[in-house]
Each structure stands twice: as structure tokens, then as C-alpha cells.
Amino acid sequence: MTEPNGIPRDEIILEAKGIEKIFPGVHALNKVDFTLKRGEIHSLMGENGAGKSTLIKCLTGVYGTDGGVIKFNGREIHPESPLHAMSIGISSVYQEVNLCPNISVAENIFAGRQPMKGPFVDWKTLEERAGKALERFDVNVDVRRSLDSYPIAIQQMVAIARALDISAQVLILDEPTSSLDKQEVAKLFDIVRKLRGEGMGIIFITHFLDQVYQISDRITVLRNGELVGTYKTGELPKIGLVTKMVGKDFDDLANVSRVRNESPHDVMIALEEVSAYQSVENVSLELRRGEVLGFAGLLGSGRTEVANLMFGIEHNNSGVIKLKGSAVRLASPKDAILRRIAFCPEDRKRDGVIGELSVRENIILAFQARLGIFRFKSLRQQYELADKYIKLLGIATPDADKKVSDLSGGNQQKVILARWLATEPEVMLLDEPTRGIDVGAKAEIMKLTLDLCRDGMAIAFISSELDEIVRISNRVVVMRDRAKIGEIDEDEGLDQENILKAIAGGMAV
Amino acid sequence: MNGLIRKLTSSKLFSALMALLVILIFNVFLNRGFLSITVVDGHLFGQLIDILNRSVPVMILATGMTLVIATGGTDLSCGALLALAGALSISLIRGSSTIVNEYSAIPFPLVITITLAVTTLCGLWNGFLVARLGIQPIVATLIFMTAGRGIAQLITGARNLTTNYAPYSVIGQGWLMMLPVPIFIAAAVLLVVWYFTRRTAFGLFVEAVGVNASAARYSGINSSMILMIVYSISGLCAGVAGLIYASGIMCADANNAGLNYELDAILATVLGGTSMMGGRFYLGGSVIGALIIMALTKSIYAFDVAPESALVVKAFVVVVVVLIQSPFFKNWRDTVKNRRAAVGGGEVR
């Protein structure tokens, strides 16, 4: 079969057969087969710890394999490093943006392979080519400015541009959309489709089921390091996919629904016309005990800033923040923690996990910070606390001494939640708690949120996923352009459509 | 048993300990009388005791340095603060006396208190610059690295002030239970710092700040306070080391006292397994690091290496030790180990 543009469709570019990978104590990949055809988008699905990342790392030479064969265009290859894999023709963009924030966009795209003029870097060509590479994505930025002066979405594009600049035949995208908004995702998909048209084989990993169905041609499902199967997207309904991923009939998410809010509850935190410099303007809201208050709005709408204000990270310069009815000044996170407020930040890698430290140390950290330097919990008490939450939240780790950076994203998020639950908070601020984690873990975290709510905690739930917000919130605050533009109660038609309308500006409330 | 050995060999202290052992064994064979310890007037003498005694100033500096490096910083000022402590203490003892004095101008405990308070304050200033003003540690501490010696020279009037005040000499030259007093001081400093970091939450907070300052702050840790305490401790350690150093020669030499010791202290810390990137720190490792440096220096002299090439030999050994500890070699070792494990697994199957 040959497409009109002359690219043979069924030709296999990348073939992995019987891949084995053994880590101490874990059989991470057990005889996994995987094939990628020319000109196809192939989604790799599975829960956290299913082996997706391990497989990718074996294909790109991050890990060596303990068995099996990798063939590229029919020839056996042994990628030794990502750079080596790249030179063969396999490029990858990893889950978290791994670029250098302090150097320019252009340098990031060409780092390690700058065009040279004699012994010197040819800056002019470098910048021109970087500009062209980004134009492909309709991204028009000053490539001479440092990377960290742009939002994460642009940084993601830069990462892809970096991977694509080389004449790659296989492109691996590991969770490329987790920090992008809708339009940016659409733009990314356009690019990906264009690349497919050019005959590139694309491996796509995501936690967003909708996106899988939007874009992929085939789906390979892994579970616990084993291949479940490879399917044509059209022949595998969503529910079937989820069932194959978790290995049981999946109705977890369907069971997640808000706790009915019957009696009026005490107000825990009230913001009264709060403004902060270069942050939010004139926000008033109430967060009550035993309810989930959702925050909806686009990236940069001021959702995170509101949470920051309630946690003492940002400070208001007008208006009043009241805690249980009396005005408070939250000077620092520690102030907030002492007042039993907990905050699960949006950027887990930057503000959440302390990677080098153990699971135990990560869990006890906030609790210990509340106690201070001198009331140090004994090791025995630390282990008790850590083990309690490892069990309670089902954190998948061999023991409490494991380095937290060795855990999967979902488990890291659970460790952060455990850190805050250990402080026994009355108010829990969750900023994108389900970002970058798989369906199963998402459902678990949402269920946990509801359990906490039932126990009387006041919960702020910030998420870009309207579906999640609608599912569990009792009320939703809608934010736009750094201001609150409305509030929708569960009795007043709280659904995705109304929230979208509100964001778009047709607010009736 | 196998597990214990693996645990031992994978420990951060192991490679440092091995390096020290190799240097010591080398000496045992080539340096006659290296192990012999004699008793003279109820005091123990010998090369081993000497290495221990002479490594004390660097060891104490390295103790403070370890905490600073654990937060991801460096303290370049500690050598200069060491000189400042010596100059300050001797000039306080001499007071306005123009001749070499036998008595102290002010009560001796006050001399020690003022000296240590001043160097601690200098450390606090370093911490303030780093934590509150966000100046990079190397730049912030560079200020006192140069200014410290300048102030010391101002205090001594650019002369080598000496004293004969007997109690002062006890710090650097005294004996206690057959051993030199400095060894006990070093042990005490180490014990206090160890207790403060490992028996309170302070060590955990230092490591948290060192790995991810932002996440530490979100967890309620007052990062800037932690930094200021850490730099203050480094200043205090420099003060203690300065008293020992100046007391050892009964002279305040503002120009040469503790010259380049900050670099030795950094080296000792790194040899001991604490990463310059911050995070996990190993006080015991830093002590071993200080011993490696001194043992090396001693053996170079014992082998009659010409002084002008001694530094080259020292540098060579340091390069070897640092290479052994580098991530590259660690990966290489792991690969070899895995390959062996894989072969073993094949046999079972």
C-alpha cells in the first residue's frame, strides 16, 4: 500500500522484540514487543509504572536492555545514549521540559550542535535557523531572549523544535501536552499530523484519553511491564482501553462525584476584595468546611495566584484575608501551615518534591517544619508516620527510604499529598493535583479529595480539566484575566458548558 | 553478611576511607616509624598523632563548610576569618601593652567570647548577603575572604603580634589525657554540630534547602533563616580554628595564617562525599577528607619530595580520589556490577 505522496505506509521503521529490563527487585519490562510504522502516530498507553517510560528509555539508549532486539529500518541497533539514538534517527521530547532556562531560546534549540564559523559560534545562522524551526509551529518569539522569559507552553515547543531540527525519522513525545492549553494542544497536533504526513513515525504518550483518540492511528497498551496488546484506534473503544490499562472493569472515575452539600458550613477562609500587585484584582470568595471549591479558568487567569495568597506565598496589598472570621496576615508558607492550611503546588518538580531525599523525609517535612527545628520526631516516629500514609494513599514504593525521585509521577504526587495530610490541615489547597499522572491515580486522588471533604476539610481544587472540576466541586469560582468573573453553585447548573460560557464571557450569574 | 559488605562499600564514606587507608598503608611501608607512638613526659608522640593534631584547623573549617556546601553554597571567607580570630584574640590579650606580655589585658573567657562572637557575626553577614540579598555564595563570601585579612592587619597594625600569655597557649599546645588539646576541641566541635544537625530537624532542613529551596519554602521551611544559621556556624568554626592556629604559634600572622585553608576545607568536604550541588552531607566524611589532606602532606614531606613539587604530587593524588568518586566512575562500576549480576542470572536460568 502506498500513499499518493509516495510514502509506503506499512513499512516498519522501528521494531522492538522481546525487550527485557530488570531493575533490582522489579521486572520493569517482560518480553515486550512494539512496532512503529512509517507515517503513523502510535500511542503508548498504560498506568504509572506500567513500563511506558522504561520502554522509551530503552529505545532511546537511556537504559541498556537486558534482553531483546531493537531494529531500526530492519537493522539491529544498540542505542547507547539519547544522543546516539538521535544520530540514528530517534528523537525524543521528555515529559518535563529538560532545557536550560537561563540561556537563550536559540541556544537551547542548538545546544551541542551550534553552527560554527571556524572556531566560533555562528550566531547569525544560529538565530536564523532557530527562528525558522519555531516558525514551523507558528511560534514567533525573540530567540535571543532567555528561555525562562517564556511560559511553559512555549518552552515545550522549543523542546520539540530541538528534537525536530535533526533529521529524525522517529519522534517520541512523552506527555507533551500536560502543560499546554487547548489551543496550544491543537497547534501541537497540527504539527504532529504534518510530521506524520512527511512519513515520520511518532510515538505519543499521554494521560489524556481524548487526545489519544483525536490523534493516534494505533494504540499499544502495557500493564505491569507486560504487553497487553496493540490495537487500531478505531477498533478499541475508550472504555475498552481503560479496562485494558488497569486490568479490571473500570468504573472508578464514574463513581467519583461530589459530596452533597446539605447544610450551610462554617466559612474557613474568606477573601474580601483582595488585590495583589501584578497578581489578582479585587477577588472575593469564601471557602467553607466540608466543601470542594473548584477554580476554573485558563492558564494565567489568576487561579494559582489566589491559592498563593491563601498560603502566604504572595501578599495582598489591599483587601482582607479572613481565617475563621478574623483577619490574618499570612507572611509565609510557615504562617499558613501553623494555621492548618496546606498547599499542593502546581509545579511538582519545582515546588513540590525534594528529589534527593527519601519518601519518609519528604512526607514528614511540612509536619516537622510546623514543629520547628528542636521538636524533632524520632526516626521511629518518622517511619510510623511515613508508613501510615504510604499505606493510606497506596504509594507504590518498596520502602520509606526510597529516593522520591525514583518514584513515578503519580506516586510523587501522592507523597506530596501525604506531606500535607501529615500536618493535619483544615484547609487543603490543591493546584492541579492530577497533572501528569495516569487515570487510575487521578481517580484515586479525586476520591481522596472527596473523602477529606466528607471529613470536614475545606478544599480548593484548581484544575485545567473541567471534567474533574465539575465532577467533584460543590461550587466553582471562574477566573479570567486575573479577576474572578463569577461563581456557579451546584444547584445553579454546574456543568462544563456553563463554565466555558462564563470563561468566554457570556456570564449570566 | 554480603548485604552488610555491599552497604559498606556503597556508603559515601567508603571511598574516602579507602583513600585514607591507602595513603596510610603506603606510609607504613615506606616511612619507617610511621606507626610508632612513644610516651614522653606522659604525652603521646608519633606521626599518627601529629597528622591528627595538625589536621584540626582544616577539620573544624570543613565541619562548617560541609553545612554550607550542603545548602548548595561555598564559604570562601573561612580562611580569612581564621586569621581574623587569631589577630583579634591576641590583640585583646595584649591590650595596650607594647611588649610581649605574660598576662591578659581582659579576662581570658571574655577574649574567647568576643573573638568567637565576631567571627560568628561575620558568618551571619555572609548568610545575610546570600539569603536575604540573593547574592551568589562565592561572591558574597569573597568579600570577607579579602576584607577579613585586611581587618586582621588593621587590628595587628600589620605586624606579627606575639604573646606569652600561658593560658592562651593551652588551646593549641596543651595536653589532655596524653593527647594534644586541639584534638579534643575538634571532637567537641564535631559532636556539637553533629548533634545539632542529626538530633534536631536542622540537618533535614539544610538538606531540603540544598536540594530544592523552593519546595522547602513551600513546605514551611524558613530557607533564609536556615542559610543564615549555616553561614554563622561556618563563621563560628573559623573562629575556633583561628584560636587553635594562633595559639599553636602564639602569634597573630594576619597575612599567612590559614592561607588557602578555605580551599582545603572545600576539598576535605568534597573528598568526604558531600556534593557541591548541595543536598546530602556527611560530617564524618569531611573529617576523613581533612585527614587525607594532612596525611598526604605529611607523607610527601616524609619522602623528601622537594617542596616545589610537593603541591604537584598532592594535586595528583587529589585528582585520583576525585575521579574515583565521580559519577562517571560510579556509573562504570554499576555497569560492571550489573553485567556480573546479569551473567549470574543467566546461569540460574
Side-chain angles (χ1 to χ4, degrees), chain A residues 311 313 333-334 337 343 349-354 356-358 361 365-366 368-369 373-374 376 419-420, chain B residues 196 198-202 204-205 207-208 211-212 214-221 225-226 229 280 349:
Chain A
F311 197 63
I313 293 164
K334 186 162 185 195
I337 292 168
F343 179 44
K349 194 176 173 190
R350 196 185 66 197
D351 303 323
V353 292
I354 299 187
E356 283 289 303
L357 299 191
S358 69
E361 288 166 312
L365 198 61
Q368 187 62 58
I373 289 173
F374 292 104
F376 191 39
R419 173 190 295 168
W420 291 113
Chain B
F196 181 54
R198 294 307 186 195
R199 281 291 169 265
T200 73
F202 189 71
L204 173 65
F205 291 174
E207 290 179 339
V211 175
N212 187 341
S214 174
R217 179 164 164 264
Y218 275 68
S219 305
I221 294 170
M225 188 184 73
I226 299 287
I229 295 175
R280 294 273 184 220
R349 233 181 285 145

Side-chain angles (χ1 to χ4, degrees), chain B residues 21-32:
Chain B
L21 217 62
V22 167
I23 295 172
L24 293 184
I25 289 171
F26 203 57
N27 274 285
V28 169
F29 285 111
L30 297 174
N31 179 358
R32 273 211 303 169

Side-chain angles (χ1 to χ4, degrees), chain A residues 60-114:
Chain A
T60 54
V62 177
Y63 299 145
T65 56
D66 295 324
V69 182
I70 303 171
K71 283 184 180 169
F72 184 77
N73 282 332
R75 265 213 312 266
E76 192 171 334
I77 55 165
H78 300 277
E80 279 156 12
S81 66
L83 214 63
H84 183 214
M86 244 182 182
S87 70
I88 295 172
I90 306 173
S91 291
S92 42
V93 177
Y94 285 107
Q95 188 161 1
E96 265 112 14
V97 177
N98 277 322
L99 298 171
C100 307
N102 54 344
I103 64 176
S104 77
V105 170
E107 284 170 282
N108 264 300
I109 295 178
F110 290 99
R113 49 201 160 87
Q114 308 89 335

